[in-house]
Amino acid sequence: EAGASVLLLRACLALLASPIYLLSFLGIWEPFCRKVFFPFILDKIGVVHDKKSKKHKQELFRNLPDFRGPSGELRLLEIGTGAGSNFQFYPAGCKVTCTDINPNFQESLAKNMKKNQHLQYERFLVAAGEDLAQVASGSVDAVVCTLVLCSVQSVSGTLREALRVLRPGGAFYFLEHVAAEHSSWRYFWQQVCYPTWKLVFAGCCLTRELWKNLEEAKFSELKIQHISVAMPWMPIEPHIVGYGVK
C-alpha cells in the first residue's frame, strides 16, 4: 500500500520538477547544478544548517586537540570541504588539507579562509572521497566529513580511504543526515522525495543508513549519536554525529 502511494507521489513531484528532468535529459542540468545551482543553494541551506548544528559541532570537535601527532602538530584532512563552514571549529595552528570533488566553491571558501586565519591551509585537492590517491597513507591525524557521505558514490570506499590516510590512533569525525525510522512519516516522505531530491541536490541520497557503514568499517573505537537537526520543510532531520578511531 505504502509502495503505491510513494510511487504516485514521486510521479507528482517529478511532474513539478519536469523542467529539471528535461534539462538533465539534455545534459544541461548536471554541469549547471555543479557550477552554479549547488554551490549557491548549499550556501543558503548551509547558513541554516550551520546555525542549527553549531552546538553539535562545537561538542563534536572539542576533543580534536587530543589527536595531535607525536610532533605536537594536528594535521587534518577534510573530505568535501565545500565552502569551509567547519573551519571555525578547528583548533589554532591546525594544518588543513581541503578536498572536494566540486571545485566551484572557491568564492565562499576564500571568504571562510580569510575569516579563519588561526589555521594553516596546506593545499586544496579536487578529489572524490573514494579516491584520495594524492594523500599519503598514515599522513594525517584527523579526517573530517560532514554532510558528504550522503552523496559519495561509495560510502564504504570513502571510509576505507579515510582509514588509509589516517595514522594509527587518528580519528575520523562525521556529522551526516540519515534515513529516518522506517515506520515513520518522515521516512515515507524521504522515499517520496528521493529521486527528485537526488537529481536537484547533486546526488544527495536521503535514505542512507550510514551508521551501518560506520559500524562495518574497521574502527578500533566508534562513538555514534543519533540526533535531530530541525530543517524546516526538508526531509533531512535525522542525523548522526560522532567519531571513530583508527
Side-chain angles (χ1 to χ4, degrees):
E1 184 62 2
S5 335
V6 165
L7 291 177
L8 181 66
L9 288 164
R10 273 185 180 179
C12 297
L13 202 54
L15 205 59
L16 287 173
S18 55
I20 294 179
Y21 279 90
L22 179 64
L23 290 174
S24 172
F25 176 72
L26 296 172
I28 298 167
W29 174 253
E30 276 75 7
F32 169 76
C33 180
R34 224 186 10 255
K35 283 198 179 66
V36 182
F37 176 78
F38 194 57
F40 169 79
I41 202 79
L42 211 62
D43 219 27
K44 300 286 169 269
I45 295 174
V47 170
V48 180
H49 193 278
D50 288 346
K51 269 201 194 84
K52 305 265 186 187
S53 61
K54 187 167 185 172
K55 60 175 199 302
H56 295 298
K57 284 189 178 179
Q58 283 168 332
E59 187 62 33
L60 173 64
F61 294 126
R62 185 175 294 158
N63 68 346
L64 259 175
D66 300 351
F67 291 99
R68 287 179 202 278
S71 66
E73 279 186 344
L74 181 68
R75 296 158 306 167
L76 183 147
L77 177 135
E78 183 161 2
I79 296 176
T81 306
S85 64
N86 291 327
F87 293 163
Q88 55 180 310
F89 303 106
Y90 300 159
C94 175
K95 295 190 159 179
V96 183
T97 296
C98 305
T99 73
D100 206 294
I101 195 168
N102 186 347
N104 298 299
F105 289 100
Q106 252 62 347
E107 210 175 302
S108 6
L109 185 64
K111 207 162 62 190
N112 268 325
M113 284 177 160
K114 244 194 210 85
K115 253 194 234 156
N116 294 282
Q117 298 194 346
H118 64 292
L119 306 176
Q120 295 176 37
Y121 301 100
E122 297 281 86
R123 52 187 181 149
F124 180 90
L125 308 172
V126 177
E130 303 88 336
D131 179 17
L132 301 170
Q134 305 167 67
V135 184
S137 300
S139 64
V140 298
D141 305 302
V143 172
V144 171
C145 192
T146 62
L147 303 184
V148 172
L149 293 177
C150 56
S151 53
V152 294
Q153 294 286 318
S154 159
V155 177
S156 54
T158 301
L159 294 176
R160 254 200 312 279
E161 274 294 78
L163 278 162
R164 179 186 67 77
V165 302
L166 277 173
R167 64 166 174 79
F172 174 77
Y173 287 80
F174 56 88
L175 182 140
E176 299 283 346
H177 68 84
V178 290
E181 184 58 54
H182 280 209
S183 57
S184 67
W185 274 110
R186 202 166 274 142
Y187 184 68
F188 174 83
W189 286 112
Q190 284 182 333
Q191 288 183 293
V192 168
C193 297
Y194 187 93
T196 299
W197 184 275
K198 187 175 180 184
L199 174 66
V200 174
F201 292 103
C204 170
C205 300
L206 290 171
T207 54
R208 287 188 173 171
E209 301 180 330
L210 296 168
W211 62 92
K212 293 181 178 172
N213 303 91
L214 285 155
E215 281 157 7
E216 284 159 15
K218 304 271 193 286
F219 291 107
S220 65
E221 180 191 338
L222 183 61
K223 302 246 190 294
I224 298 187
Q225 201 186 346
H226 286 257
I227 60 168
S228 191
V229 176
M231 296 292 290
W233 297 101
M234 295 196 128
I236 56 170
E237 201 161 305
H239 282 60
I240 53 171
V241 60
Y243 65 94
V245 179
K246 176 167 171 176

